[in-house]
Amino acid sequence: MTKTLDQLLTQQSFSREDLIRLLSVKGNDTQKVLDRALQVKAEAVGRKVYLRGLIELSNICAKDCCYCGIRKSNKNVHRYTLSDEEVYAAADFAWQKGFGSLVIQSGELIAPAFTNHIERLLIGIHQRTNAELSITLSCGEQPLEVFKRWHQAGAHRYLLRIESTDRELYYQIHPHNSLHAYEKRIEGLKNLRKAGYQVGTGVMIGLPGQTIENLADDLLFFKSMDLDMIGMGPYIEHAETPLYDRRNLLWPTEERFRMSLLMIAGLRLLMPDINIASSTALETLDPLGRQSGLLAGGNVVMPNLTPVSNRLDYMLYDNKPNLDKDPALSTSSLNEVIEAIGEKICYYEQGNSQHFLKRQG
Ligand code: 5AD
């Protein structure tokens, strides 16, 4: 006898078939899955939200990912790098507001000058904030030695998205060459673990040609790699990228949104004690996307602290929100919005991955 959805949702472990079934629900059953994920989150990590102030350090990138607006070949992008003063101002803001944590994200460069630049910023931020902030880096694939140096300089977490764990799909959205090698991405994730980080990855949801089976396999990959944190969200087309040509294959945006929430929920059921971001891309598709992600099992939000004058130049996809100030910051309503859905922001807490802390013992 096939089990009911209710039976499925209360399981402790999930097979590939179970995950495919969870991700295939329609209509009212979607809400059932999301509600169960919220319950599991509440039991495992509490209805708590951790903040990471996002600093988009530079849009200079050596890579040519076929979906990304700041890919190297896009000549219509004005390239920038924030000054140290701008980065420190953002860090000070986060520290004073009790954010507990920062993410430094950047286009990808492998170069001694870039290594030194990040290292200097890490040291500088810790000096001026009494080493009270935890720092996540999202600066692409780097040699193990570089990962180690940055960890030594005070980066605690690293986000390196695999984008899709299906090798074939990976090469449909990346150039097939040594700079964009699938195996190197996986090796990068393993090296991050070796270097001592809380390790995060993620995928885009609703890519042209992506199937529910692919997404179920993504979740199983996260579990098999025993990851500490995940940031994933809907794929959103960008007109100045090659993948735009395949937009006729896309699911409607509502469906990409719904699948993104189901992925967060499925992941929360599969890995109850990890950190899961409610991504900015969710907000692009729905003004209440951030809250929806939290109610589907997410527990991290990343308010954008990049200087407003640079934001137009960090357009990973079309219609990226909060090009002026993140409304959540300006209205001081972030708290209200989050409390209104029954969640609590943990100010002055780093919000480290419980999963990581348990593994450390
Ligand atoms: N749609 C959604 N997410 C995107 N990213 C880059 N381009 C897009 C897009 N078109 C995401 C990738 C990358 C992160 C920094 O932004 O997952 O890892």
Side-chain angles (χ1 to χ4, degrees), residues 122-133:
L122 289 166
I123 293 168
I125 291 170
H126 283 313
Q127 263 172 4
R128 57 197 296 128
T129 58
N130 209 16
E132 286 168 9
L133 298 174

Side-chain angles (χ1 to χ4, degrees), residues 67-69 105 138 161 163 185 202-204 233-238 281 314 316-318:
Y67 44 84
C68 184
Q105 190 177 89
S138 179
R161 287 189 176 184
E163 315 297 358
R185 188 61 60 100
V203 294
M204 287 180 287
Y235 164 68
I236 301 166
E237 56 273 40
H238 187 296
Y314 206 87
L316 303 176
Y317 39 81
D318 288 339

Side-chain angles (χ1 to χ4, degrees), residues 61-67 71-74 173-175 179-180:
C61 194
K63 291 217 164 167
D64 235 349
C65 307
C66 306
Y67 44 84
R71 65 200 301 269
K72 184 179 184 194
S73 297
N74 187 359
I173 63 170
H174 297 99
L179 196 59
H180 300 82

